[in-house]
Amino acid sequence: MADELFQDPRLAVLYDPLDPDRGDLDAYVRLVEEFGARQVLDLGCGTGVFALLLAERGVDVVGVDPARASLDVAGAKAGGERVRWLHGDGTDLPPLQVDLATMTANAAQQITDHGAWRATLAGVRAALRPGGRFVFETRDPSRRAWEGWNRAASHGVTEVPGVGAVENWVDLVEVDGPLVTFRWSYVFAADGQVLTSESTLRFREREEVEADLLAQGYVVDDVRDAPDRPGREFVFLARRPRA
Ligand SMILES: C[S@@+](CC[C@H](N)C(=O)[O-])C[C@H]1O[C@@H](n2cnc3c(N)ncnc32)[C@H](O)[C@@H]1O
């Protein structure tokens, strides 16, 4: 089940306007080029920014997300008809044989349950052609990103076309080992409505992710930095072996 901020239609339309700088996706576009990928599965595609970037370049893309409202935003965008949008997650994928699977913007951290994480890795592996790659990122726990998730650091007011001014901020709720819970609040100036969305993310160590990938039959080719967030992310480049 996805969080309110992705699955409530009133919040899903805010995702892009509240986070318009998608320079984080440049490195993923370069990887698609580096691998010469022609068929890509974008898991946790959300509002489809990355899937649409690829479709524009002539790549055959399947975008999958458990949040229907985010998929609706994605499908309504220019070029949305070029992508195959699927409501679901990595555990219920249809038969696919893609060159590359991706999970951008730390979508991997949304999968907090270990069984669901293992099943997602297995589902993605089955969707890759032999030799196909799986690339995703997760925040380095040692950088304790959650220490910056507070009202003072996050408060802002954004004018959203068609919606009006939206004030929003985040509050940290709880840190319980690798699980970090926080709550976003949104105040709509147009009607005074206040909506909140509570999320929990799992912060995994690099060694833990490597072991999980190996256990599900991947080879880990590389663990890179995210060029736009140096020292803060682990970007895993995993591969389904040919034999
Ligand atoms: C931070 S958003 C990133 C969206 C998109 N990848 C991007 O770059 O904008 C995280 C996404 O993960 C999705 N998500 C939540 N649980 C998931 C799961 N179990 N499997 C795949 N995606 C999931 C959410 O619905 C949301 O769209």
Side-chain angles (χ1 to χ4, degrees), residues 1-3 5-7 15-16 19 22 24-25 42-50 64-68 70-71 88-91 102-112 116 120 137 139 201:
M1 180 71 96
D3 303 330
L5 78 162
F6 306 122
Q7 67 178 0
Y15 182 83
D16 296 321
D19 189 11
R22 296 312 307 268
D24 59 306
L25 299 177
D42 186 29
L43 181 59
C45 65
T47 57
V49 182
F50 183 57
V64 177
D65 202 284
R68 172 84 68 191
S70 294
L71 289 175
D89 59 31
T91 67
T102 52
M103 273 201 286
T104 63
N106 296 301
Q109 291 189 252
Q110 297 272 331
I111 309 167
T112 54
T120 299
E137 61 184 38
R139 294 178 186 84
L201 297 181

Side-chain angles (χ1 to χ4, degrees), residues 43 101-103 108 111 114 117-126 128 132-138 204-224 234-241:
L43 181 59
T102 52
M103 273 201 286
I111 309 167
H114 194 60
W117 174 239
R118 272 200 314 256
T120 299
L121 295 180
V124 170
R125 185 184 180 281
L128 293 173
R133 264 93 168 196
F134 183 24
V135 179
F136 61 93
E137 61 184 38
T138 185
R204 297 181 174 90
E205 300 292 343
R206 172 184 170 149
E207 296 71 25
E208 187 184 347
V209 178
E210 284 180 342
D212 292 342
L213 284 165
L214 294 180
Q216 294 305 322
Y218 291 89
V219 173
V220 179
D221 285 325
D222 204 358
V223 184
R224 295 186 185 172
F234 301 129
V235 182
F236 290 89
L237 274 62
R239 179 169 42 87
R240 173 179 175 167

Side-chain angles (χ1 to χ4, degrees), residues 153-200:
S154 62
H155 182 269
V157 180
T158 307
E159 190 60 37
V160 179
V163 173
V166 178
E167 182 185 358
N168 76 324
W169 66 87
V170 67
D171 291 304
L172 188 63
V173 175
E174 184 182 37
V175 180
D176 178 11
L179 299 177
V180 177
T181 302
F182 52 96
R183 184 175 46 247
W184 279 100
S185 299
Y186 305 83
V187 183
F188 293 78
D191 59 6
Q193 192 172 11
V194 181
L195 297 180
T196 58
S197 174
E198 197 161 294
S199 303
T200 300

Side-chain angles (χ1 to χ4, degrees), residues 140-164:
D140 179 348
S142 73
R143 297 301 299 263
R144 304 170 71 85
W146 58 86
E147 290 181 352
W149 296 351
N150 54 60
R151 216 177 271 221
S154 62
H155 182 269
V157 180
T158 307
E159 190 60 37
V160 179
V163 173

